Amino acid sequence: MAAWHTFAVVTSDGDVPRTDAARDVPRTVATRDRVVFLGDSLTAYGWTKKNGWVRQVVAQLAAQGVKLRPVCAGVPGNRSIDLLARFQRDVVARRPDWVVVNCGVNDVWHGADGCTLDQFRHSVSAMLDRAL
């Protein structure tokens, strides 16, 4: 994963920091960078809806001259454990320059079928470890 860059995750109880000294050199997103947007329905519809947040991120960067190669990997209903289960296929296999992970709503929304805070932390940390 040498082409990947620093990956930061913010959870409800603060940062889950992970750093890799080789990648601590600041880098900004650049034209032709592949960015995977991994998440649930917020991410899926963030791409399919005209004013969705994923489209807005891509459009705002394009307006500044940065033309991304976005990959939407949003699946409605997914919890953090579901994102982890498909991380290899939907993220690693696509060899992105950047990854945006958006999850947590369904971990809570699904109630008893959701995820505990410990499961959430484990899933997010495992995705982060695989990204680095």
Side-chain angles (χ1 to χ4, degrees):
M1 308 292 164
W4 291 30
H5 307 287
T6 303
F7 184 107
V9 176
V10 178
T11 64
S12 60
D13 64 341
D15 287 341
V16 179
R18 292 280 199 289
T19 60
D20 180 358
R23 281 185 244 123
D24 283 343
V25 176
R27 182 192 181 287
T28 58
V29 67
T31 291
R32 304 235 358 105
D33 276 358
R34 178 176 292 125
V35 180
V36 172
F37 293 88
L38 180 71
D40 53 24
S41 61
L42 297 173
T43 302
Y45 300 134
W47 179 250
T48 60
K49 300 294 183 185
K50 180 181 176 184
N51 291 317
W53 74 270
V54 175
R55 288 213 178 263
Q56 287 188 33
V57 168
V58 173
Q60 289 296 318
L61 287 168
Q64 296 177 42
V66 179
K67 310 279 192 236
L68 299 179
R69 293 182 296 155
V71 177
C72 185
V75 176
N78 267 194
R79 301 158 297 164
S80 59
I81 58 175
D82 301 315
L83 272 59
L84 176 59
R86 61 187 179 87
F87 196 83
Q88 178 67 36
R89 180 191 73 215
D90 289 353
V91 177
V92 176
R94 292 177 171 166
R95 302 182 50 82
D97 299 290
W98 299 89
V99 179
V100 176
V101 178
N102 181 38
C103 66
V105 171
N106 292 314
D107 294 71
V108 175
W109 186 262
H110 286 252
D113 293 325
C115 297
T116 66
L117 184 54
D118 285 341
Q119 289 171 319
F120 176 82
R121 284 183 180 137
H122 168 78
S123 296
V124 171
S125 292
M127 285 186 276
L128 191 51
D129 289 342
R130 291 177 189 183
L132 295 175

